[in-house]
């Protein structure tokens, strides 16, 4: 496949900021610490909505403190983002400039925040007439009228006529907080069961949020690249090490021993294979991912997170038992002698 076309598809935006102890002040540097950070230019990429995407990232910063076994992720937007789900995947940078994710996966969702307040109401009600007896001559309260004394019972008689009255009641009401909402971040580490979760209460108009995860099981976790997928944007934001230039090949110093082939004929069955023309799509079907390939090749290389394999070419490949967190597959093709560059295929 055409390398320039591959770079265009990956839509990598940002700057490289690799983990480097040299960049950390000596007083704070510990073995295993790392930091990935960068900022992104805002562009009007083609969109059905037109204009800027409110979820566009301004900058990100991922920091790992190995002494405290703590990972922090901070995301900053140009404007107030929507409440859609955000995916952040950290991993290892590859020589082609892409990021092999899977070391750490963070899923950020949202919930409404609630508040409880006291509400006092006043209501008008009809009060029936009442009578009251007492051995004391003290007026029982407002609205009562003394009407006489019962010598046989030795009691004072009081009377309250019927009429309209008012009373107040106070009760608690729980409702959606109009000024805040929750962002819930869930972290998964490759090879570790269960997950870590942290919740942040943010203002409805906030443009930056930070999540922090801490656990002994984060010990010695490593990463030097990150992909962040935001709502309404097909390509992820990527910060990764730069691609390693491929050294030029040295031409043979001895002439070929076989006679030249007639230009009008071909004895190589792979001559008809054009790797640049091959396209692929990936579709999730429950726990399976169906890989559909248009084109022809001799072999297919497939890489999912840290697992890779090579199989004979076929147009339809069904990958079983794939985790729900798998969002991309990397594929490349061989014509029997050369391999194309790796291409990341989003799982739909």
């Amino acid at each position: 496949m055409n390398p320039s076309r591959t770079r265009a598809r990956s839509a990598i935006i940002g700057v490289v900021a690799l983990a480097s102890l040299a960049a950390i002040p000596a007083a704070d540097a510990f073995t295993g610490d790392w930091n990935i950070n960068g900022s992104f230019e805002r562009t009007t990429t083609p969109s059905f909505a037109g204009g800027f995407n409110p979820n566009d990232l301004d900058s990100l910063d991922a920091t790992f403190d190995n002494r405290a076994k703590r990972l922090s992720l901070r995301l900053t937007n140009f404007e107030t983002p929507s409440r859609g789900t955000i995916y952040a995947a950290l991993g290892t940078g590859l020589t082609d400039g892409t990021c092999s994710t899977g070391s750490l996966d963070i899923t950020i969702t949202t919930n409404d925040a609630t508040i409880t307040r006291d509400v006092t109401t006043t209501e008008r009600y009809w009060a029936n007439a009442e009578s009251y007896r007492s051995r004391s001559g003290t007026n029982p309260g407002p609205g009562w009228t003394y009407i006489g004394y019962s010598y046989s019972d030795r009691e004072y008689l009081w009377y309250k006529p019927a009429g309209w009255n008012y009373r107040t009641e106070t009760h608690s009401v729980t409702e959606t907080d109009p000024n805040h909402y929750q962002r819930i971040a869930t972290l998964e580490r490759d090879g570790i069961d269960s997950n870590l979760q942290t919740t942040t209460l943010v203002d409805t108009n906030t443009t930056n949020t930070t999540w922090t995860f801490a656990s002994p099981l984060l010990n010695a976790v490593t990463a030097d690249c990150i992909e962040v997928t935001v709502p309404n944007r097909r390509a992820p934001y990527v910060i990764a090490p730069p691609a390693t230039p491929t050294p030029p090949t040295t031409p043979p110093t001895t002439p070929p021993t076989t006679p030249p082939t007639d230009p009008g004929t071909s004895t190589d069955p792979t001559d008809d294979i054009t790797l640049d023309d091959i396209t692929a799509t990936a579709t999730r079907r429950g726990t399976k991912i169906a890989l559909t390939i248009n084109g022809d090749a001799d072999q297919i290389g497939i890489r999912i997170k840290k697992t890779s394999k090579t199989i004979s070419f076929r147009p339809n490949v069904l990958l079983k038992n794939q985790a729900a967190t798998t969002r991309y597959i990397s594929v490349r093709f061989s014509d029997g002698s050369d391999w194309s560059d790796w291409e990341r295929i989003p799982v739909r």
Side-chain angles (χ1 to χ4, degrees):
M1 280 172 287
N2 190 322
S4 63
R5 187 175 64 184
T6 302
R7 287 194 295 271
R9 284 201 193 101
S10 62
I12 297 177
I13 316 173
V15 297
V16 176
L18 303 182
S20 173
L21 293 179
I24 304 174
D28 299 325
F30 290 91
T31 301
D33 289 359
W34 49 262
N35 173 257
I36 305 170
N37 65 75
S39 57
F40 308 93
E41 180 182 357
R42 198 174 196 192
T43 60
T44 52
T45 54
S47 169
F48 290 115
F52 291 123
N53 179 0
N55 301 290
D56 286 343
L57 281 186
D58 181 359
S59 62
L60 67 83
D61 188 288
T63 302
F64 180 66
D65 183 341
N66 193 48
R67 178 183 61 86
K69 319 304 177 193
R70 182 176 62 232
L71 172 71
S72 296
L73 174 66
R74 180 181 180 87
L75 300 179
T76 302
N77 297 84
F78 287 98
E79 61 180 284
T80 304
S82 71
R83 298 192 186 184
T85 301
I86 300 171
Y87 299 98
L90 294 97
T92 304
L94 303 177
T95 56
D96 61 1
T98 61
C99 183
S100 176
T101 60
S103 298
L104 295 168
D105 291 294
I106 301 174
T107 303
I108 302 166
T109 56
T110 61
N111 274 343
D112 286 334
T114 58
I115 54 174
T116 300
R117 60 187 181 91
D118 291 335
V119 176
T120 301
T121 57
T122 301
E123 63 176 358
R124 183 171 178 255
Y125 69 97
W126 177 258
N128 294 323
E130 298 179 69
S131 60
Y132 177 73
R133 292 170 174 262
S134 173
R135 291 184 179 272
S136 169
T138 303
N139 190 316
W144 291 95
T145 302
Y146 174 69
I147 59 174
Y149 181 79
S150 172
Y151 289 96
S152 60
D153 297 326
R154 295 183 179 181
E155 292 179 331
Y156 293 92
L157 306 179
W158 302 86
Y159 176 76
K160 179 186 286 188
W164 289 103
N165 275 340
Y166 295 87
R167 61 188 170 200
T168 59
E169 290 186 352
T170 300
H171 58 279
S172 296
V173 174
T174 300
E175 58 191 8
T176 300
D177 186 345
N179 301 314
H180 304 89
Y181 68 99
Q182 293 179 335
R183 282 196 177 267
I184 305 98
T186 302
L187 178 143
E188 296 177 294
R189 180 179 181 185
D190 186 32
I192 304 296
D193 290 338
S194 190
N195 56 60
L196 296 175
Q197 191 174 97
T198 180
T199 300
T200 299
L201 186 67
V202 299
D203 296 338
T204 52
N205 61 349
T206 191
T207 57
N208 61 76
T209 42
T210 301
W211 300 267
T212 300
F213 307 89
S215 168
L217 293 178
L218 290 179
N219 180 56
V221 65
T222 60
D224 64 1
C225 65
I226 187 172
E227 292 186 358
V228 179
T229 303
V230 299
N232 300 325
R233 189 177 190 276
R234 289 177 59 85
Y237 290 95
V238 180
I239 297 178
T244 303
T246 303
T249 57
T250 304
T253 56
T254 57
T257 57
T258 56
T261 305
D262 184 347
T265 62
S266 173
T267 59
D268 186 350
T270 64
D271 282 352
D272 294 334
I273 297 176
T274 305
L275 300 180
D276 288 349
D277 295 337
I278 301 176
T279 60
T281 58
T283 306
R284 176 170 293 282
R285 298 176 182 174
T287 59
K288 303 175 183 178
I289 296 177
L291 187 63
T292 303
I293 303 166
N294 295 316
D296 190 21
D298 185 69
Q299 290 180 305
I300 309 171
I302 301 174
R303 184 167 61 207
I304 302 177
K305 294 188 176 180
K306 294 185 178 180
T307 302
S308 61
K309 62 180 177 180
T310 300
I311 61 175
S312 298
F313 179 83
R314 53 182 181 270
N316 296 290
V317 180
L318 190 62
L319 306 170
K320 301 179 180 179
N321 301 320
Q322 298 302 317
T325 55
T326 300
R327 297 186 300 279
Y328 295 94
I329 296 177
S330 295
V331 297
R332 65 175 181 173
F333 304 97
S334 172
D335 59 7
S337 58
D338 297 321
W339 283 94
S340 66
D341 293 333
W342 286 102
E343 180 174 2
R344 290 166 48 80
I345 308 297
V347 178
R348 305 303 181 195

